[in-house]
Amino acid sequence: MSQSLFHSRPMRIAVIGAGPAGFYTAEELLKGPVEARVDLFDRLFAPYGLVRYGVAPDHPKTKLVTSRFDRVAGDERVRFLGGIEIGQDIRVEQLRTAYDAIVVTTGAETSRMLNIPGEDLPHCHHAIDFVSWYNGHPEYTDRRFDLSGDTAVIIGNGNVAIDLARILAKPTDTLAPTDIARHALDALGKSQVQNIIVLGRRGPAQASFTRAELMELQDLAWIDPAELDLNEESRVELDKDTQGQKIFTLFEGFPSIPPQGRNITFRWLRSPVEIIENGVRVALNTLHGDAGDQKVLGTEQREEIPCGLVLKSIGYFGQALPGLPFDENLGIIPNHEGRVEGHPGVYVAGWIKRGPSGLIGHNKRCAVDTVSAIWKDLEDLVHAETTKQRPLDLSGAISWADWQGIAEREAAQGFKVTRYP
Ligand SMILES: Cc1cc2nc3c(=O)[nH]c(=O)nc-3n(C[C@H](O)[C@H](O)[C@H](O)COP(=O)(O)OP(=O)(O)OC[C@H]3O[C@@H](n4cnc5c(N)ncnc54)[C@H](O)[C@@H]3O)c2cc1C
């Protein structure tokens, strides 16, 4: 019945969040068995989500994916509606009166906590604060980071930690030609930070960096060889893990003494137990268990690392959308193959569906899977009634043409526009 209705009018779909998952979802919806009209909402004036506000400014090739997204937004069947926060400006229930299906692609916009004393001290920040600040996110332009100390500690062993370390360490003249926010470039230019220490709770054999990211640290990083001592189980793990071996070989290739100037080093088997004034206190860890199943065990041994800045890179975290269920532990909207539990006609894709991991391209597969669930449900979409045409007030929305104007201004001035208009 629903499908036949979509022969007399196009199917209307709201996609909430114009990040990679939102664009890939819209792209896929246009290829479906029925004629579709897609409204792509974003709470910010600018599209692209973390491609704009997460990916490091010195990775311009990664951002080229936006030209694919531009083609999607330029399709006459797609309407970009920036500056509208669903849950705040328009409620999900209101959307349900106007659309046949809703796909939530709101990503992960908050941070995990360490839950240790001192986390609220002024020199301790979430990675998201620093990343959003140097990327010109409009809500983070007024953040201040004390870069007057000689040491910064970064907690975490993923690629975001590497991004933070690299941005802190790179000479600012190499950052100047990028799209980094001007305020960040100015502040980094005056930075006194010389030593950047990246901490991991497990060992070098378990680090989750990728090779490409580590290779970029060639002239900046050094490692004390004692840090590369492995227990027998970790050696066995590496023997079976080609990627891990390549990473470990890169670690071994770094010099054992700091290079001149700003430098990055790694310390492993350490967990922060307290953020203290002018530093961080860590517990020394050991690994226990069989190869492939080793667990971190904290010891009573403590170490203090003096520093003026602590950045916690321990994971982004999803946020609830009023009117929909939320898994507080995983930071996702609970779903079965993209269908939001207990809410027929509402779907999820991207980080809010799977949790905050995976590269931009992983969201493509994720969006395709969700859209295929929509097509399977087409006959049952209870929203497919002509009464679902009540208009929403979208008069304040930033259109695609508005955004293109902003993008042109930005390109002309060479720095990210951080405010609209
Ligand atoms: C620091 C960092 C660096 C990264 N670097 C790389 C990299 O170099 N290469 C790579 O491949 N991947 C990288 N990634 C991963 C990549 O960015 C993610 O895989 C991808 O952005 C997730 O897409 P998403 O659409 O689910 O979420 P997001 O990109 O977060 O998009 C979500 C969108 O939803 C909007 N939104 C949120 N709430 C609402 C609401 N209530 N109403 C309306 N809109 C809303 C947000 O404004 C945002 O635009 C990086 C991630 C991070 C955090």
Side-chain angles (χ1 to χ4, degrees):
M1 179 196 166
S2 308
Q3 195 156 357
S4 58
L5 176 74
F6 297 136
H7 288 142
S8 59
R9 69 158 176 85
M11 182 179 180
R12 294 183 208 95
I13 305 130
V15 176
I16 311 173
F23 277 104
Y24 287 131
T25 299
E27 185 181 50
E28 197 57 24
L29 285 168
L30 299 182
K31 300 182 200 156
V34 295
E35 179 76 15
R37 293 285 180 276
V38 181
D39 279 353
L40 182 53
F41 291 88
D42 204 285
R43 66 188 196 84
L44 300 176
F45 65 78
Y48 314 135
L50 285 170
V51 178
R52 180 175 168 89
Y53 295 119
V55 172
D58 57 344
H59 283 172
K61 283 195 186 140
T62 308
K63 300 181 192 212
L64 291 178
V65 69
T66 57
S67 57
R68 177 178 182 156
F69 299 159
D70 291 350
R71 281 197 294 280
V72 175
D75 190 296
E76 59 184 15
R77 294 168 291 173
V78 176
R79 187 165 56 153
F80 173 68
L81 297 157
I84 297 187
E85 179 164 352
I86 304 303
Q88 187 77 24
D89 303 317
I90 298 178
R91 285 176 288 113
V92 173
E93 302 87 273
Q94 286 174 281
L95 282 186
R96 298 193 67 174
T97 66
Y99 295 94
D100 302 302
I102 297 170
V103 187
V104 183
T105 59
T106 48
E109 295 201 307
T110 58
S111 309
R112 287 191 177 279
M113 296 290 290
L114 283 169
N115 293 318
I116 58 171
E119 222 174 332
D120 53 352
L121 282 172
H123 64 294
C124 180
H125 306 268
H126 294 290
I128 193 173
D129 297 341
F130 196 66
V131 168
S132 305
W133 170 75
Y134 66 58
N135 272 321
H137 191 298
E139 289 158 4
Y140 292 81
T141 50
D142 57 356
R143 298 298 162 102
R144 295 286 173 270
F145 300 91
D146 185 352
L147 304 176
S148 64
D150 62 4
T151 302
V153 168
I154 297 170
I155 298 166
N157 256 200
N159 279 340
V160 174
I162 300 271
D163 281 350
L164 300 171
R166 202 179 60 252
I167 295 296
L168 279 170
K170 262 193 166 180
T172 34
D173 56 353
T174 62
L175 293 174
T178 72
D179 69 350
I180 192 168
R182 166 143 248 156
H183 55 250
L185 188 68
D186 292 344
L188 289 165
K190 294 178 202 136
S191 167
Q192 298 299 311
V193 175
Q194 290 294 309
N195 313 308
I196 297 137
I197 302 170
V198 181
L199 290 185
R201 53 194 283 275
R202 298 181 297 162
Q206 291 84 28
S208 22
F209 307 127
T210 56
R211 202 163 162 265
E213 291 264 346
L214 274 181
M215 302 242 305
E216 288 182 71
L217 304 186
Q218 292 294 356
D219 299 326
L220 298 166
W222 66 282
I223 297 182
D224 176 349
E227 292 289 338
L228 296 175
D229 284 345
L230 297 180
N231 63 3
E232 189 49 40
E233 289 75 11
S234 294
R235 265 194 219 106
V236 173
E237 284 177 17
L238 274 190
D239 282 346
K240 294 181 185 157
D241 175 5
T242 325
Q243 278 312 313
Q245 277 169 32
K246 287 182 181 162
I247 298 226
F248 196 77
T249 307
L250 277 176
F251 289 148
E252 288 179 313
F254 286 135
S256 55
I257 51 166
Q260 285 285 318
R262 292 181 185 172
N263 65 85
I264 300 169
T265 195
F266 297 84
R267 291 197 202 157
W268 283 286
L269 293 171
R270 289 167 174 89
S271 292
V273 289
E274 185 177 0
I275 310 296
I276 52 176
E277 214 165 310
N278 304 320
V280 53
R281 181 172 293 130
V282 298
L284 303 194
N285 299 331
T286 55
L287 292 174
H288 281 259
D290 296 334
D293 190 30
Q294 296 194 82
K295 304 269 181 302
V296 175
L297 221 64
T299 69
E300 294 301 314
Q301 254 182 297
R302 299 286 182 266
E303 192 179 272
E304 276 182 21
I305 308 175
C307 64
L309 180 71
V310 178
L311 298 175
K312 297 173 287 180
S313 183
I314 52 171
Y316 280 44
F317 198 75
Q319 63 289 331
L321 194 57
L324 294 179
F326 186 64
D327 184 323
E328 297 284 349
N329 289 320
L330 299 176
I332 59 166
I333 294 180
N335 67 91
H336 183 64
E337 293 172 354
R339 298 174 179 93
V340 175
E341 289 167 13
H343 292 259
V346 185
Y347 301 83
V348 278
W351 277 15
I352 195 64
K353 171 186 171 186
R354 318 187 307 273
S357 71
L359 297 172
I360 295 164
H362 291 119
N363 301 292
K364 165 82 179 152
R365 180 76 255 160
C366 183
V368 169
D369 290 347
T370 293
V371 173
S372 77
I374 297 179
W375 300 143
K376 280 187 200 144
D377 297 348
L378 215 46
E379 290 298 322
D380 304 320
L381 283 179
V382 286
H383 284 222
E385 301 163 12
T386 40
T387 51
K388 305 292 181 195
Q389 292 178 32
R390 263 170 269 152
L392 297 166
D393 178 12
L394 303 172
S395 53
I398 287 148
S399 68
W400 192 248
D402 293 336
W403 158 248
Q404 284 174 313
I406 297 168
E408 271 170 32
R409 193 147 55 89
E410 194 166 88
Q413 74 182 37
F415 286 101
K416 271 194 179 128
V417 169
T418 53
R419 291 269 176 253
Y420 176 81

